[in-house]
Amino acid sequence: MPDLHPLLSAFAPIWALTAVGYVVARAGLLGPQAELVLTRFVFHVAMPAALFLMISRTPLGSFANPSMLAFAAGTTVATALGLLAGRLLFRRKRGELAIGAMASGYVNSANLGIPVTMQVIGDASFVGPVVLFQILVVTPAVLTVLDSGAAGRRALLTLPLRNPVLIATALGAVASATGLRLPAELHHSADLLGAAGVPTALVALGMSLHNRPAAEGRSLRAEVGLTVAVKTLVQPLVALIMAGPVLHLPTHQLLTVVLFSALPTAQNVYTYAREYGQGTDLARDTVLWSTLVSMGTLSAIAWTLRPA
């Protein structure tokens, strides 16, 4: 069985920064609006910088391969189940349905994907195609739904011109396709801004734990439990079936696809939920509980599928 310590080391920064956010909120160091301000900083400033650099440095054709087909199948099934559960079982509204679907299938590819796969298989190259797929396909679809339902005051046709995440995505894709690069000084500045996104988002997530309602309804707990089960169990299982019996991928690729599919829900989902005020409790709790549960499921996958 693989050593659990390396996996714990990969998760430790997430828990530490979330705990910092909780302590900061509990002590009232940054005031009552701090969580909202930090989340908006991530959405409007840090995240666009990080996405632009990441996409501009990744070949756009890298996700056109059989491994990505298996990963996309798991993502599609998981998001569809999250959407159906939110609509049929929990009667969620349109924007909340988008967040629930995203929470069910949007993996924490960079923060955890890189350290986990490096520890288990010694290769994190699959993170590029996964990031491209989630940013270029999943994120625009979710943000379009969220933005189109924002109090009916925004024109859907102008969404790409107003949403900083989509603007950065489009510019990054153009830079990748044309080979354009920022001057060194601008590149370094964008890199610094982008690096602030993940820790700030985790601190904001921790602050939200202190600001959460005193009691959660049974319906929310059931929805979170179902969403976490879909994310950590169903999504990697579908990827396993596609990668193994259907596509017959080599053992190394099969393990890589299943590991990435089993990663927990990304904190980006909470950032989007907080920015649009849709499904915030569901996103927050799914990020936290899927991260905790995935420590066990990722270890089990590595033990079961890793070659002797």
Side-chain angles (χ1 to χ4, degrees):
M1 186 171 180
D3 184 6
L4 190 58
H5 175 68
L7 291 180
L8 290 175
S9 297
F11 281 88
I14 291 179
W15 293 119
L17 290 174
T18 302
V20 167
Y22 179 85
V23 171
V24 167
R26 185 175 179 83
L29 295 177
L30 302 180
Q33 297 298 315
E35 180 202 338
L36 176 60
V37 172
L38 290 179
T39 304
R40 301 205 73 179
F41 167 77
V42 173
F43 183 84
H44 291 276
V45 181
M47 187 182 294
L51 292 180
F52 170 79
L53 291 182
M54 188 176 299
I55 296 173
S56 67
R57 294 183 295 219
T58 305
L60 295 180
S62 63
F63 63 92
N65 58 70
S67 295
M68 275 309 303
L69 183 60
F71 178 83
T75 300
T76 301
V77 171
T79 54
L81 288 176
L83 183 66
L84 288 174
R87 184 175 183 84
L88 300 179
L89 299 180
F90 303 104
R91 305 299 180 184
R92 288 282 190 172
K93 298 178 182 179
R94 183 177 180 180
E96 296 171 337
L97 286 174
I99 291 297
M102 195 178 197
S104 301
Y106 199 94
V107 307
N108 193 337
S109 55
N111 288 7
L112 281 175
I114 293 175
V116 167
T117 52
M118 284 300 297
Q119 295 289 354
V120 175
I121 60 179
D123 179 13
S125 59
F126 193 56
V127 69
V130 169
V131 168
L132 278 182
F133 173 73
Q134 293 197 143
I135 294 174
L136 297 179
V137 178
V138 180
T139 299
V142 172
L143 292 184
T144 298
V145 173
L146 289 171
D147 204 275
S148 64
R153 67 182 185 275
R154 300 177 180 180
L156 186 58
L157 291 178
T158 62
L159 169 61
L161 302 177
R162 292 178 286 98
N163 189 297
V165 172
L166 297 186
I167 293 173
T169 299
L171 292 177
V174 171
S176 175
T178 60
L180 294 176
R181 294 293 180 266
L182 292 176
E185 296 79 8
L186 289 178
H187 186 283
H188 183 58
S189 299
D191 201 23
L192 289 174
L193 275 177
V198 170
T200 304
L202 289 171
V203 169
L205 180 65
M207 296 180 74
S208 73
L209 296 177
H210 179 263
N211 299 328
R212 71 195 299 174
E216 292 183 344
R218 182 179 300 177
S219 177
L220 177 60
R221 291 196 296 270
E223 188 173 10
V224 170
L226 181 59
T227 305
V228 171
V230 170
K231 178 69 214 65
T232 58
L233 298 175
V234 175
Q235 186 171 359
L237 179 60
V238 173
L240 174 63
I241 294 172
M242 282 294 296
V246 177
L247 297 175
H248 303 289
L249 297 181
T251 302
H252 177 85
Q253 293 181 30
L254 183 146
L255 174 57
T256 301
V257 170
V258 177
L259 276 176
F260 267 90
S261 299
L263 291 169
T265 303
Q267 66 273 355
N268 291 4
V269 180
Y270 174 74
T271 299
Y272 298 145
R274 189 70 175 85
E275 170 67 19
Y276 286 92
Q278 300 283 343
T280 306
D281 292 344
L282 173 61
R284 177 199 60 219
D285 290 358
T286 300
V287 170
L288 290 170
W289 283 105
S290 66
T291 302
L292 179 62
V293 171
S294 67
M295 293 176 67
T297 53
L298 287 168
S299 298
I301 289 168
W303 176 57
T304 304
L305 299 180
R306 191 165 64 174

